[in-house]
Amino acid sequence: MEALFYGLIAGSAPSPHTLALIFFGLKYGRSQALRFLLGGLLWDLVLIGLVTSVFRAVVPSEGLQHYLRIASGLGLILLALKSLRPSPASGPRSTGEGLPQLSAGFLVQALNPNPYLFWLLVGGPVLRTLDWVHGLRFVGVFLVTAYS
């Protein structure tokens, strides 16, 4: 039940990934938006793996949280500035070119501070109290709810 609640909150909160997903959907269509969404989901899975293994004993301080937000914001600004440059190819991409959207989804989610804060401060501590089966169930319910 906890994972469902957290997933609903995470899925309804505005984020850079959500805005970029809407952009890709409107500009390139559903298939490209789905590839972008999958890129973000891949990053979330990587982050969950990092939090549950590498950062298991780390609880970020207020200062680290602040610097994480600033670094993520600067990364997003750099990504936005890069997207303002004219691209060599004109017009929308063909539906066969899904990798740029997949990697863009991965990158936007990697630069988004929200997943870091959630998994380090909320999701990670919850997962530490659960066994493998309940932990996988928590992650699955959270991701399905957040991404639906």
Side-chain angles (χ1 to χ4, degrees):
M1 190 67 172
E2 211 175 3
L4 182 67
F5 176 70
Y6 291 140
L8 286 172
I9 291 172
S12 62
S15 71
H17 192 262
T18 306
L19 296 174
L21 178 64
I22 293 169
F23 167 78
F24 278 115
L26 292 174
K27 186 165 183 176
Y28 299 112
R30 288 183 187 161
S31 64
Q32 298 300 324
L34 180 60
R35 288 184 176 119
F36 180 85
L37 180 76
L38 291 176
L41 179 62
L42 285 173
W43 175 252
D44 278 350
L45 292 173
V46 168
L47 182 61
I48 293 166
L50 287 172
V51 166
T52 56
S53 59
V54 177
F55 303 126
R56 189 168 186 85
V58 175
V59 175
S61 65
E62 288 291 322
L64 181 60
Q65 292 175 32
H66 180 71
Y67 289 118
L68 179 63
R69 288 184 186 118
I70 290 173
S72 298
L74 290 174
L76 286 172
I77 289 171
L78 290 174
L79 186 63
L81 291 174
K82 185 178 176 185
S83 72
L84 291 175
R85 294 184 195 148
S87 64
S90 60
R93 298 178 183 193
S94 68
T95 56
E97 296 182 32
L99 188 57
Q101 279 76 21
L102 184 70
S103 61
F106 190 89
L107 182 62
V108 168
Q109 193 68 347
L111 294 173
N112 183 1
N114 297 342
Y116 294 97
L117 296 175
F118 174 79
W119 287 109
L120 286 171
L121 300 176
V122 179
V126 169
L127 286 175
R128 283 185 212 117
T129 65
L130 301 174
D131 60 16
W132 278 99
V133 173
H134 290 96
L136 287 174
R137 185 180 302 152
F138 177 88
V139 169
V141 169
F142 173 83
L143 290 175
V144 166
T145 309
Y147 278 90
S148 58

